[in-house]
Amino acid sequence: RAAAYLTPFMFLGGNPSPNYIREDLDLEAFSLPGVTKSWTSSRPDLIDTRGRVALPEGDLPERVVLTVSLAGGGENVSRDFEYRVMPAEPRLPAFMIYLNDGLQKNRRVDCRVEYYPAGGRDPVRYRAFQGRRAGVKYRGTSGFWQSHIRGLENFFLRKFALSLRFEEPHRLLNETETRHLYFATGYEEASLMRNKLSYDLYRELAVPGAPRFAPEVGWAEVFINGHYRGVYEKNTRIDRHMLGIESFDPTRPDPAVLYKFGAHGDNFRVPRTGAITQKLPPRRYGPYWEPYLDLVRRVASDDPEVFKNSIEEVVDVDSVIDFHLLLNMTENRDGVNVNLYLARDAGPGKRFFIVPWDYDKTWDPESGHRWFSNALTDRLLEDGPDYGERLARRWEELRRERWSDDAVSERIDRMEHHLDGWIQWDYELWNHAYSRDIPFEEWTGSLRRRALERLHHLNGRIPRLMESD
């Protein structure tokens, strides 16, 4: 009975989790009259039989199994407890989320957060209570509601995506005033690399006066009440803070707007306000669809000459070109008319631009090298101001340096090295339900091969497309 009572949490001492050991354990935390105990360690160089911890060299965690042997009443019982000792300078940060209530899908619950930065620095503590419109909840749609996910039939054993809203700006990925932080799971692709690769390649196209906004992505381990939940993509939310646009002023005739396209269809040709979410102005101020509807009218019905001479007054065509090239370079089948944001800052003469979002379904070897386009880019190709020629020139420019074979391969190599040795703990925890029994190096190798294949395909495809145009 005494042996059954013990858990690895009982001996943590000042450590936050059995999977995050950086201080000595308290192996004397349990005692019972008439019962004696002794310890053995699989790695006494890391945790000895007195619970003293030595951090491993390098930047990877190490597994240690401690065995406690109990003797009393003429019986002997042994129990094994697994601990993970963190390196002196861990490569990935960690979020320890503590809550009393169960996580919910439709509302946030109060939580405290301890953030352990990479490099072994001391934790930073945050509060996220509902009284300050903060907290944590499940997020996402497909990964949450499907009844079977890669063989995980138990609803409560899934690796759910999370949305965390702090009471104050966290500044963990950028220096904006945002209080939100999202955690994605790798439900669609277990390498956890496609979003970051896509967004980084797009964001680096910015020059002074011409930003290219996309979420910033990093990786972190997540723990809930001390239980390890795996490696997640942590990323920023697309909001006015990220985009540097003004908050809503109801007295202005030309406020900033931000729309999220949330359903498939010709959203740039047919008004589909039911399939689009108004993010700015806030919905508490009521619907504000006039700027979007005006753009749809122009795309759908303007005479060719009128469209050619006026479209750049309302749309930043150069940013659309970069978005169009990203869409095709990544083969993002979901990014054509859905999973994108349409934004415009406040003020006269401000123009629409597109912000990419949700790029985990990318570089698919089964896509057949399709060409991706929506009603807006189709109309620009047909009647826009030299759109085809400008797109082809931009592609040639990007391929010379920023999107060259070497540049893309080096990015993938750096991400692979950063995650290697860490993401395998995630695969092991979830019994390969997300990784589909495919090793990490095969995921990254497949991404590298397909990305280069796609670049080479577009080298021939884009000039032919422009010639036919």
Side-chain angles (χ1 to χ4, degrees), residues 44-62:
D45 57 320
L46 299 179
I47 305 179
D48 67 16
T49 56
R50 296 174 61 183
R52 293 177 299 191
V53 170
L55 302 184
E57 297 179 0
D59 58 3
L60 295 177
E62 297 283 353

Side-chain angles (χ1 to χ4, degrees), residues 346-362:
K350 298 297 183 180
R351 299 182 296 171
F352 278 113
F353 57 91
I354 299 173
V355 184
W357 174 248
D358 202 354
Y359 270 58
D360 53 358
K361 295 180 181 178
T362 47

Side-chain angles (χ1 to χ4, degrees), residues 437-452:
D437 292 318
I438 300 173
F440 178 60
E441 57 270 19
E442 289 190 25
W443 279 100
T444 57
S446 174
L447 171 59
R448 186 182 294 103
R449 287 190 298 273
R450 185 59 183 185
L452 295 178

Side-chain angles (χ1 to χ4, degrees), residues 202 205-206 212 317-327 387 394 398 403:
Y202 185 69
L205 304 186
R212 296 293 180 260
V317 174
D318 286 333
S319 74
V320 174
I321 287 172
D322 284 350
F323 170 80
H324 200 183
L325 291 176
L326 177 77
L327 190 70
Y387 183 83
R394 181 62 163 166
L398 297 182
W403 287 7

Side-chain angles (χ1 to χ4, degrees), residues 78-371:
S78 297
R79 290 287 306 277
D80 290 336
F81 301 119
E82 185 174 300
Y83 294 96
R84 191 177 63 147
V85 183
M86 304 304 290
E89 296 185 358
R91 201 186 303 158
L92 294 191
F95 287 83
M96 305 286 169
I97 302 173
Y98 299 98
L99 43 86
N100 292 324
D101 299 326
L103 280 166
Q104 304 290 321
K105 168 67 174 171
N106 296 318
R107 69 175 181 87
R108 298 186 185 276
V109 299
D110 294 343
C111 69
R112 294 181 299 106
V113 179
E114 290 184 356
Y115 171 66
Y116 287 74
R121 289 171 287 162
D122 292 336
V124 181
R125 294 173 174 83
Y126 298 91
R127 287 161 50 94
F129 290 175
Q130 295 176 79
R132 297 289 302 276
R133 299 183 64 245
V136 64
K137 68 175 183 177
Y138 293 126
R139 66 173 299 270
T141 302
S142 58
F144 184 87
W145 290 115
Q146 289 190 20
S147 58
H148 300 283
I149 298 182
R150 315 297 187 209
L152 278 183
E153 299 182 3
N154 188 328
F155 183 85
F156 298 101
L157 293 180
R158 298 184 196 160
K159 182 186 177 188
F160 289 115
L162 301 171
S163 169
L164 184 58
R165 184 160 64 192
F166 298 91
E167 295 184 4
E168 303 292 340
H170 54 77
R171 297 187 176 90
L172 292 174
L173 282 170
N174 57 39
E175 292 299 316
T176 73
E177 294 296 305
T178 187
R179 298 190 294 139
H180 290 81
L181 196 62
Y182 289 160
F183 295 91
T185 63
Y187 160 65
E188 288 293 345
E189 63 94 18
S191 78
L192 297 179
M193 289 169 49
R194 283 169 165 78
N195 276 321
K196 180 173 176 57
L197 178 60
S198 304
Y199 299 152
D200 288 355
L201 287 168
Y202 185 69
R203 215 172 32 252
E204 76 167 9
L205 304 186
V207 295
R212 296 293 180 260
F213 295 106
E216 295 185 54
V217 177
W219 299 284
E221 295 190 305
V222 173
F223 299 73
I224 297 179
N225 289 342
H227 294 278
Y228 178 66
R229 303 298 292 174
V231 178
Y232 283 71
E233 294 177 76
K234 68 178 190 292
N235 61 275
T236 51
R237 186 177 76 150
I238 296 175
D239 57 17
R240 68 178 186 85
H241 300 293
M242 174 199 287
L243 305 179
I245 60 180
E246 295 184 13
S247 60
F248 178 63
D249 182 353
T251 66
R252 296 196 62 156
D254 46 13
V257 295
L258 179 63
Y259 306 112
K260 180 182 181 183
F261 286 28
H264 291 280
D266 284 339
N267 294 323
F268 283 105
R269 191 186 300 276
V270 179
R272 290 169 53 81
T273 56
I276 299 174
T277 302
Q278 174 185 310
K279 295 294 186 179
L280 194 70
R283 283 171 286 180
R284 64 179 177 272
Y285 291 102
Y288 191 78
W289 296 105
E290 287 81 359
Y292 164 69
L293 295 175
D294 176 65
L295 176 61
V296 171
R297 179 192 59 76
R298 291 171 182 267
V299 172
S301 58
D302 268 3
D303 290 336
E305 195 65 22
V306 172
F307 182 86
K308 178 178 181 179
N309 293 327
S310 65
I311 189 60
E312 291 205 83
E313 297 173 3
V314 294
V315 174
D316 182 350
V317 174
D318 286 333
S319 74
V320 174
I321 287 172
D322 284 350
F323 170 80
H324 200 183
L325 291 176
L326 177 77
L327 190 70
N328 277 282
M329 192 258 281
T330 61
E331 302 178 272
N332 186 5
R333 62 185 185 273
D334 275 355
V336 178
N337 273 298
V338 69
N339 288 339
L340 60 87
Y341 286 74
L342 182 68
R344 189 195 69 186
D345 202 355
K350 298 297 183 180
R351 299 182 296 171
F352 278 113
F353 57 91
I354 299 173
V355 184
W357 174 248
D358 202 354
Y359 270 58
D360 53 358
K361 295 180 181 178
T362 47
W363 288 291
D364 181 6
E366 306 301 322
S367 72
H369 286 305
R370 292 168 48 201
W371 176 256

Side-chain angles (χ1 to χ4, degrees), residues 14-25:
N15 293 287
S17 167
N19 279 282
Y20 204 92
I21 302 299
R22 290 180 59 83
E23 301 178 10
D24 291 349
L25 300 178

Side-chain angles (χ1 to χ4, degrees), residues 392-434:
R393 288 198 303 270
R394 181 62 163 166
W395 176 254
E396 292 176 359
E397 174 194 342
L398 297 182
R399 286 291 286 140
R400 282 195 293 271
E401 186 174 349
R402 282 173 284 185
W403 287 7
S404 68
D405 287 9
D406 288 344
V408 173
S409 293
E410 287 170 7
R411 282 188 179 276
I412 295 173
D413 291 345
R414 289 196 299 271
M415 291 191 295
E416 180 181 20
H417 172 74
H418 196 80
L419 284 170
D420 192 27
W422 290 82
I423 201 167
Q424 287 84 354
W425 294 90
D426 180 285
Y427 289 8
E428 179 181 317
L429 172 67
W430 298 108
N431 297 316
H432 297 274
Y434 290 79

